[in-house]
Amino acid sequence: MSQSTEQPSERPAGRAVPTSADVARLAGVSRATVSYVLNNTSAVRISEPTRRRVREAAEELGYVPHAAARSLRAGHSRMVLLPTPHVQVGPLYSQFFNEFQWALRRLDYTVVQYGSVGLEAEEAARAWAELRPVAVVALGESRLTGQGVEILKRSGARAVITLGTERVEGAHALVMDQGRVGEAATAHLVETGRRRIGVVVPEEPGLAMFSGPRLEGARRAVAGTGATVVPLPLRYEEESANALAARWRALGLDGVFAYNDEYAMLLMRALQDADVAVPAETAVVGADDLLLGRLLRPRLSTVRIDMVIGRELAELVDRAVREPEAPPRTSDLMASRVVRRESS
Amino acid sequence: MSQSTEQPSERPAGRAVPTSADVARLAGVSRATVSYVLNNTSAVRISEPTRRRVREAAEELGYVPHAAARSLRAGHSRMVLLPTPHVQVGPLYSQFFNEFQWALRRLDYTVVQYGSVGLEAEEAARAWAELRPVAVVALGESRLTGQGVEILKRSGARAVITLGTERVEGAHALVMDQGRVGEAATAHLVETGRRRIGVVVPEEPGLAMFSGPRLEGARRAVAGTGATVVPLPLRYEEESANALAARWRALGLDGVFAYNDEYAMLLMRALQDADVAVPAETAVVGADDLLLGRLLRPRLSTVRIDMVIGRELAELVDRAVREPEAPPRTSDLMASRVVRRESS
DNA sequence: ACGCGTCACTGACACGTGTCACCCTCTCGC
DNA sequence: GCGAGAGGGTGACACGTGTCAGTGACGCGT
């Protein structure tokens, strides 16, 4: 790349990106004045005619300030970084995320999702730190370590918050207690008299962070009740479900928590095709309370998950940013409750 | 919009963010040397002992370069901006996006999703331009205008690409021909002898960009065949579907394209509950080829949509960045084909 | 004439980085 | 002895912005 010193002859489009200096020149004022006008700084008084001239010049040139230069000078930004998950997320999650983003913007933050596919934990943290975000809200799935938190804080992040199943040293944590989902579903099955309870564990990679805790929760629910839990690996494919259904009677199960409504629908169809009566012979419970589950016959029982609303989380971020010295707190991100329909 | 000018700004942690100057001091070399070493610039020769001293100093301080300062100095960045949709996107789309991001990163681009909720078209474009991205890949839904493209290009963006249903002046366009989906489904219904064909139009806001073209496509499919198309507004709720099913016979429809598989499942259940025989009395076709559709009885016919793979789009972006002067091109993002099962 | 205050504006620096043009010190060939 | 060349580094500038301290002009009271 050759540098052009004065006359930018290499611009292909024939025009350089306008800066505040260009605006100043066109308006016949100093650059400082341009800055004052465009940020309408209250501490300095600029006459109305000058203000207008500056605004018109900016408009004419199509001037847009340079965010990087601005935050470099300011020494900080109001950028909140959300490492993008590379896992499939359900509609519940994506709605929550949208709400969260919207709320942060209301609080005058700039939300940036930034993917870091294929990087190791510490390396990813370093990549995020380069952007000098004021806060980082990371999914548990992004495998942020205590080391990573340290890197981020050292690079100026005033708040690091994890959304996940477990805490990370030094970071605020919003715990999604996935265990409660499995626990609620299984407790319900036990209460309605089921004794041998299957728990579907999806084989799809990336779901482990959800399925593991849900299985653990199920185990907690049966502890001391005499009922037992049987893990059931399952791929989200018809053949896999049919194979499972074929050996259903051999397994001797009278109830199943199917991970979520989609897996439940898949399994329920396979069971019915194999002449296993639902709920008479085997009760089925899903999770997420999808509309589609209500359309089945029998209607699918489910665990309804209510997530913290985005606005609440946004306010938590804002508080954490304003009080970086406050000790990391842990709180619940979601609540679960069983919705009983006909399949259990 | 009140600005919070109040600014804590005192470093509470007592330690500033380390810069390359700090590294230089600690290593006992100049800042230039630090820069050369850490970017291992090949044109300049630095002795191995010095290199090691610099690397160790950087490690000890936890130095992370400042991306903003870097790209300010460089005059450009390799950031690709993806305005975040605030519409619900299906799994098809989100998988495509992940793949796309991954491919861009392979090409050494930095992918940033940036939401601009609640801003008007031109204002949003200005906000994106502040980040000085080298390329912008916008969903049609983000309502990018020709004016917006102009702003972005003037701010240094070398490529602007829209993913949507229609072209935008000055931008490369990847057209999702939603019309073809409706056309394929409806043509199939006509070919199998249906004459009065309903087309479900979701009432949910944000889906209009898909449903409108699909309806138009359906109209194209019946043109000259003697068959007719009837738009059917529907909310994604059981009551809405039941109400529609109740007046089904009055409508005299013998076929329906239900927008997608989810709406199809909703409608099919309502039809069956209202004793409308599928497919004998009315044929039903969905779209997206969800697994769940295959579980219905009768199995749901659908339109399978194959999207351009992410890598392809990433290469298109790369080419557009490298040849900014090339005229905007338009190409297809997806292909549709009918998968006939039992419901039609 | 002078001091003082206000108004409207400007000059200059700092933010953190990359890179170009030098500079110094050796060594070698003759 | 001395120029040539190479090895190993450094000084200084530029990128675009925000903001502090200052500056000239002007009005006003004495």
Side-chain angles (χ1 to χ4, degrees), chain B residues 20 31 35-36 63 70 73:
Chain B
S20 69
R31 225 181 37 68
S35 178
Y36 287 135
Y63 168 70
R70 175 178 291 193
R73 158 66 216 200

Side-chain angles (χ1 to χ4, degrees), chain A residues 45-316:
Chain A
R45 320 181 48 151
I46 308 284
S47 70
E48 195 49 47
T50 303
R51 299 189 108 90
R52 204 168 40 239
R53 283 218 314 285
V54 170
R55 292 215 179 86
E56 285 170 4
E59 179 69 26
E60 182 176 338
L61 292 177
Y63 169 70
V64 174
H66 193 309
R70 175 178 290 190
S71 76
L72 175 60
R73 158 66 216 203
H76 71 280
S77 70
R78 287 186 66 80
M79 172 176 129
V80 176
L81 194 62
L82 306 184
T84 313
H86 46 273
V87 66
Q88 279 298 0
V89 296
L92 207 78
Y93 215 84
S94 79
Q95 191 201 333
F96 164 73
F97 245 65
N98 275 358
E99 209 177 301
F100 176 48
Q101 283 201 35
W102 188 83
L104 275 180
R105 187 163 312 271
R106 283 273 130 177
L107 292 171
D108 200 31
Y109 288 96
T110 296
V111 181
V112 169
Q113 286 187 48
Y114 180 84
S116 47
V117 204
L119 294 183
E120 278 318 301
E122 196 180 320
E123 197 154 359
R126 215 183 298 278
W128 303 339
E130 288 192 5
L131 300 179
R132 298 287 192 273
V134 69
V136 177
V137 181
L139 265 67
E141 176 264 346
S142 18
R143 292 259 150 266
L144 187 62
T145 62
Q147 183 93 358
V149 174
E150 180 56 27
I151 291 175
L152 287 169
K153 290 205 165 171
R154 190 175 278 256
S155 81
R158 295 169 69 93
V160 179
I161 297 172
T162 59
L163 257 57
T165 53
E166 49 193 35
R167 300 199 47 227
V168 174
E169 183 60 30
H172 297 258
L174 255 73
V175 176
M176 296 186 298
D177 193 352
Q178 297 289 340
R180 283 283 305 139
V181 177
E183 194 175 347
T186 308
H188 163 69
L189 288 171
V190 171
E191 279 164 21
T192 54
R194 312 291 171 165
R195 315 303 296 162
R196 264 183 75 78
I197 297 169
V199 174
V200 168
V201 180
E203 293 183 354
E204 277 72 19
L207 260 46
M209 77 172 274
F210 298 109
S211 60
R214 287 186 186 191
L215 177 58
E216 284 314 306
R219 292 214 165 97
R220 280 202 303 279
V222 296
T225 65
T228 60
V229 156
V230 180
L232 302 172
L234 179 63
R235 284 196 313 285
Y236 191 61
E237 293 165 6
E238 285 187 274
E239 307 79 51
S240 180
N242 289 336
L244 177 56
R247 57 194 186 90
W248 198 257
R249 294 232 159 73
L251 288 164
L253 302 171
D254 58 2
V256 58
F257 166 53
Y259 177 69
N260 73 11
D261 284 355
E262 289 184 305
Y263 282 83
M265 292 169 80
L266 174 62
L267 179 58
M268 211 162 103
R269 161 56 60 198
L271 289 178
Q272 290 179 332
D273 285 352
D275 286 325
V276 176
V278 176
E281 196 169 347
T282 295
V284 178
V285 178
D288 287 356
D289 193 17
L290 297 188
L291 171 57
L292 296 180
R294 293 201 278 267
L295 304 178
L296 298 189
R297 296 300 179 262
R299 292 180 170 84
L300 183 63
S301 295
T302 193
V303 178
R304 184 179 168 82
I305 300 173
D306 292 306
M307 306 238 326
V308 157
I309 53 177
R311 181 148 36 84
E312 234 170 288
L313 175 52
E315 277 161 12
L316 189 149

Side-chain angles (χ1 to χ4, degrees), chain B residues 158-182:
Chain B
R158 294 168 70 92
V160 180
I161 296 172
T162 60
L163 257 58
T165 53
E166 50 192 36
R167 302 199 47 228
V168 174
E169 184 61 29
H172 296 259
L174 256 73
V175 176
M176 296 186 296
D177 193 352
Q178 297 290 339
R180 282 283 306 140
V181 178

Side-chain angles (χ1 to χ4, degrees), chain B residues 264-288:
Chain B
M265 292 169 78
L266 174 62
L267 179 58
M268 210 162 105
R269 163 56 61 200
L271 289 178
Q272 290 178 330
D273 285 353
D275 287 323
V276 176
V278 176
E281 195 168 348
T282 294
V284 178
V285 177
D288 286 355

